[in-house]
Amino acid sequence: MRLLALLALLLFSSGIQERKELVITQQKIQVSGYTSVGKFNCDFSRAGMADTLRINSTEVRKGLEFKIPVKSFSCGNFLLNSDFRSTLKADDYPFAYVKVANFREKSGKIFCHLSLNLVGRKLEFPDLMLERNPKGLNGKLILNFDLLHLTPPSKFGGLVKVEDQLDLEILLGA
């Protein structure tokens, strides 16, 4: 009888969560912004890696860490690439660091802890929601230039201005 009660307790306990794994073979970071003349996208992607992502794991793990050379972001043409690198002070801060850890599933949605180190500023997002898609998991953030202690760039005497908001999308591909 005690064994049956213990088994029932284990099966129906809310603290027990299914452990899931996902093998990550690709990472992609995309930064999008808006100017007075249109939208721009700058991205970085890396394929061929292999790391196992554990969801609802009780193991202490350092998470997935990515060291991204700022000069490796591609914005579509050399002028945009140069402006993007200049805005992110690539000469002073040549790398962006992204760390995702503590993956957990709540009510069918996946959350993680995201640490972002960009232009010498470390930002923490303890409950970033990730969406499942056929390519893996992706998460979206909205950042402002002032959060990074940056000034939105402008060109041609202020005729072309970049809006204060940047959209950051992270894709962990399987």
Side-chain angles (χ1 to χ4, degrees), residues 21-38:
E21 292 182 347
L22 181 65
V23 177
I24 303 299
T25 58
Q26 177 191 21
Q27 68 186 31
K28 181 176 180 180
I29 309 290
Q30 180 172 321
V31 179
S32 301
Y34 302 90
T35 71
S36 52
V37 294

Side-chain angles (χ1 to χ4, degrees), residues 143-162:
L143 301 174
N144 293 329
F145 279 94
D146 53 330
L147 184 64
L148 296 168
H149 295 266
L150 297 174
T151 303
S154 65
K155 294 287 179 185
F156 306 115
L159 289 175
V160 178
K161 294 181 182 181
V162 175

Side-chain angles (χ1 to χ4, degrees), residues 67-73 84-97 116-122 148-150:
K67 181 179 178 180
I68 303 168
V70 174
K71 291 185 178 181
S72 294
F73 275 88
F84 185 76
R85 292 170 188 159
S86 175
T87 299
L88 294 184
K89 302 178 182 179
D91 291 335
D92 297 328
Y93 305 100
F95 295 98
Y97 300 92
L116 174 65
N117 191 330
L118 185 63
V119 294
R121 300 275 305 152
K122 186 170 183 180
L148 296 168
H149 295 266
L150 297 174

Side-chain angles (χ1 to χ4, degrees), residues 17-22 52-57 105 110 132:
Q17 296 181 347
E18 182 182 344
R19 184 176 157 177
K20 299 176 184 179
E21 292 182 347
L22 181 65
T52 303
L53 176 96
R54 291 182 176 86
I55 301 169
N56 297 331
S57 176
E105 189 169 18
I110 296 176
R132 289 184 189 262

Side-chain angles (χ1 to χ4, degrees), residues 22-28 46 49-51 66 133-138 170-174:
L22 181 65
V23 177
I24 303 299
T25 58
Q26 177 191 21
Q27 68 186 31
K28 181 176 180 180
R46 181 180 299 152
M49 55 182 279
D51 205 344
F66 309 112
N133 63 43
K135 295 180 182 178
L137 299 171
N138 74 316
I170 298 169
L171 172 67
L172 301 174

